[in-house]
Every structure is written in structure tokens, then in C-alpha cells.
Amino acid sequence: MKIGIYTLTSPLHDEKALNTASATFLEEIGENLESYAEGNDSYELVFKGSDYSDFGTDDLDVIYVRTGGTEGLFKQIFDKVRTSESGYDRPVRLLTSGKSNSLAASMEIMSFLRQNECSGEIIHGSCSYIAGRLALLTKVDKAKKKLQGTNLGVIGQPSDWLISSGADYTKVKEKTGITLVDIPISELIEEIAKKEYPSNSIVKAAAEKAATLPEKIKPYWEDALNIYGGLKRIIEKHKLSGLTIRCFDLLEAIGNTGCLALAILNSEGIPAGCEGDIPALLTMAVSQAVTGSPGFQCNPSSIDPETGEILLAHCTIPLNMVRSYSFDTHFESGIGVAIHGEVPEGDVTVFKLSGDLSRCFISEASLLKNQYKQDLCRTQIVLRTEDIADYFLKNPIGNHHIVLSGHHKTILQAFFEA
């Protein structure tokens, strides 16, 4: 991944001496960056100098403030660096070694950014710290670029009981580049009536388990897959990267639920949420872009403020997030095909964005156990985390939250701040 390094230098300073010092500084950062390479990903610092004509073309763009007295120079390029070609405001990252009054100049520039309602940060510290921060921000910007220009479908609007789970479509577009597309539920019902669905490895694996379905579930199997087929055609028609569906409307319309269809879509890397919950969908889309997994949309069923334990449950979950799964009926209606998944114990992250993207909740937790009680939604997990009472009982962001495998607080927080 390429990190473009652009410079701001006062004409009062010796250019030759600065170039030598800069080369040494950047070389040490580059050496430290090697430890953050993962898989096929590696990091390359690309020195661009004072030519900003291609600013914004690399995976991450950083302005290296090399000296003091550069505040006026920054003001001249401000409009160029703050706005992307697609029109959204991007954070400005200022790199400084602290030499030649560069930190003082960076602080003046940062204050100017805040006055102009532009986000950013000063990247300053040891070369090892700077390398870690650059690696993290490169991943953040890469995730943001994945979301730019994408469409997320809202099929049927939020369910009536989700009185706080709408979204500000304009702010979502401005802050993420995501367009929310309203699609009537009737359009999906028409697609389901075609009774066609694609067969792939995920569907075939589920079908193998379906060979031993309980008798009460067998009548719903084919139509559950037809819902998946209908959603796939909706995705193709509207060029969607994800969706949420007002799924309870399907209970009366076709006598089935969307639980299986959503589980398959999420396993394919397509964020697919329940009940028309738009903030939950946005959270899943961000999770997919940042971590590679949309996560498990679930709602708290009980909380123990004294132990920090919380029980979360829902009737669908990405099939690639569980170590095993079986089928049951949908909890509330007693019909359809729901998923009971067993999620591996260990590190998880609980994540939720608000519908206007002004708030987020991120908490790293431990998954203690799975359970399977008949009086709850079918996938049931018990977590332990800190300070849950203050958030969940006093200031929650809706009821649905997204649980991700692994600890991701640092990068999710960096994404939100950006």
C-alpha cells in the first residue's frame, strides 16, 4: 500500500540540508513500517515533494511539515487537500519530526483546520510510533475508499418499533460517500415469486444440513432460498453493496422469514441486516470494509450490571462467523428457517453507529459461552465487557448492535474519527 509524502518547507531554510534530514527520518519510518505488513500487503513511502497535483491518489496521503513558517503555504493548498474528487471532505494528516519549529507550525495549521470544520491530526512521536499510526490510517483510508460511491438498499423502511433507527441520508452521503436507496417491499415480493435462486458453495453446504431438517421446518426451506434469490436480483438491479429488509412484512406476505437469506448474503460478504434498521446496516457496512466481516446483528436480551455480562441474540448470523450451525423456526413467529449458530469463544468487539454518524459505541469484550434456550432468538451468545450499564441502560444507540470476531476497537475508532 502506497503512502504519499507531500512536503511543506519554508524558503528560509536550507533545502539541501532538509532533504538529507528528511531522507533519514523517512527511511527509519519505512523500516518500522515493514513490521506492520500483513499477507500480501506491504507499505511503501512515496516521496512527492511540494507538487500536490496528484494529491489523493495513493492509499494514504500525508503532508510532511518540515519547518516552521509554512502556515501560509498550507493555506494556499487547503482547498486542494481537504476535498476529494468525489466531493467529500477528507481528514488532513500532518507529519512532523519536531525539528525546525515544524511541530509549532503543525499546531497552528491544525487549529486552522478546526476553525474551518475540517478534521485531521498531527502524526508526531518516535519513528516506531509514527509507522504504527501510518499503517493504521492507511487501512482506515482504504476502507473509506471501499465505501465511496456504494449503494445500500433499504427495503421496506424500518420496522414500526424501531422508532430511533432511521438515518440522515444526506449526512451519510456527505460523511461516507454511501447512498441509501429506498426500495418498496413489493418489489422484493415480486422477485421472490419467481422462485429462482443461485446455487453456490454456501447454499450447497446449507442444503446438506437441510437433508436432516426437523419436520416443522421442511415446508419453509425452498421459499427461504427463494427469498435469497429475490434479494440477489434486487442487489443486481440496484447495484447494491448491502441492504436491510423490513423482514417481518414477509411473515404475512409469503408466510416465511428472511433469516436464511440474510445469513447467506452476509457469508458472501454482502452486509444484510434485519428489520429495516439503517444504523445497524451502516455499522455492518463499515465493519465489512474495515475488518472484512459484516458481523452479527443482535439485540440485548439481558444485562447483569454487576458482572458486566450481557446476553445477545438474533435469528440470523453470517454462516462463516460460526463454528457450527443448525436450523430452527423463527422465534417470534414460529415459522420459517432461522439459524442457531455456535460462535467461537474468545475476543469479540461490540460496535454501533448512529444514523447521523455523530455517535458510535465500540467495546472490546470476551465471548464466554453460547446457549440455546427456546424462549429467545435462535443464536444466543453471552459476553463480558466493561461499563455496559452506563451505555446500554442509560445512553444506547438503539437496540441492535453488531458483534465482530476479534478485537478491533483501535481501527474502528480511527475510522469513526476520520
Side-chain angles (χ1 to χ4, degrees), residues 114-126:
R114 297 302 186 202
Q115 289 174 357
N116 285 274
E117 299 182 344
C118 185
S119 63
E121 69 173 282
I122 300 169
I123 305 170
H124 175 69
S126 68

Side-chain angles (χ1 to χ4, degrees), residues 53-170:
S53 60
D54 65 347
F55 190 90
T57 59
D58 291 310
D59 295 302
L60 178 70
D61 299 283
V62 178
I63 299 174
Y64 177 15
V65 182
R66 300 200 293 179
T67 71
T70 49
E71 297 89 337
L73 295 174
F74 176 81
K75 194 172 182 180
Q76 293 174 21
I77 62 166
F78 174 51
D79 289 338
K80 167 68 177 176
V81 301
R82 78 173 297 185
T83 307
S84 72
E85 290 183 1
S86 54
Y88 75 97
D89 285 351
R90 55 188 165 207
V92 176
R93 280 68 177 252
L94 305 174
L95 171 65
T96 174
S97 66
K99 296 180 179 179
S100 303
N101 286 326
S102 57
L103 179 57
S106 298
M107 293 173 65
E108 186 71 17
I109 293 170
M110 186 57 57
S111 178
F112 172 81
L113 289 171
R114 297 302 186 202
Q115 289 174 357
N116 285 274
E117 299 182 344
C118 185
S119 63
E121 69 173 282
I122 300 169
I123 305 170
H124 175 69
S126 68
C127 287
S128 61
Y129 169 81
I130 289 171
R133 192 64 187 165
L134 291 177
L136 179 70
L137 293 175
T138 301
K139 291 179 181 178
V140 167
D141 276 21
K142 189 175 182 180
K144 288 176 65 180
K145 288 172 182 176
K146 285 181 183 177
L147 295 173
Q148 282 296 311
T150 59
N151 298 324
L152 297 179
V154 182
I155 303 177
Q157 295 297 306
S159 296
D160 293 341
W161 51 87
L162 296 182
I163 59 175
S164 71
S165 296
D168 187 322
Y169 284 34
T170 300

Side-chain angles (χ1 to χ4, degrees), residues 274-323:
C274 311
E275 302 174 39
D277 189 327
I278 304 175
L281 172 61
L282 292 170
T283 307
M284 296 171 79
V286 168
S287 301
Q288 177 71 49
V290 172
T291 72
S293 171
F296 171 36
Q297 178 184 337
C298 50
N299 51 265
S301 297
S302 66
I303 293 173
D304 188 332
E306 295 178 309
T307 65
E309 292 186 9
I310 178 170
L311 168 62
L312 300 114
H314 229 213
C315 280
T316 185
I317 187 170
L319 302 179
N320 57 356
M321 189 177 170
V322 301
R323 61 173 173 238

Side-chain angles (χ1 to χ4, degrees), residues 263-274:
I264 296 172
L265 289 173
N266 281 313
S267 301
E268 294 175 341
I270 302 171
C274 311

Side-chain angles (χ1 to χ4, degrees), residues 246-266:
R246 187 181 167 102
C247 44
F248 276 74
D249 283 15
L250 299 179
L251 299 179
E252 184 174 344
I254 63 171
N256 213 319
T257 68
C259 308
L260 178 62
L262 300 180
I264 296 172
L265 289 173
N266 281 313

Side-chain angles (χ1 to χ4, degrees), residues 213-251:
L213 279 176
E215 289 298 322
K216 63 179 180 178
I217 300 175
K218 286 181 179 179
Y220 302 108
W221 180 257
E222 279 298 311
D223 270 347
L225 289 175
N226 288 331
I227 295 171
Y228 164 67
L231 288 171
K232 287 288 280 189
R233 288 187 290 277
I234 293 282
I235 289 168
E236 182 177 356
K237 177 181 177 181
H238 294 278
K239 296 180 173 57
L240 304 179
S241 297
L243 57 86
T244 183
I245 174 177
R246 187 181 167 102
C247 44
F248 276 74
D249 283 15
L250 299 179
L251 299 179

Side-chain angles (χ1 to χ4, degrees), residues 382-395:
V382 178
L383 312 182
R384 179 182 289 130
T385 185
E386 296 180 357
D387 302 324
I388 60 171
D390 279 346
Y391 169 73
F392 282 103
L393 302 181
K394 295 179 181 178
N395 199 26

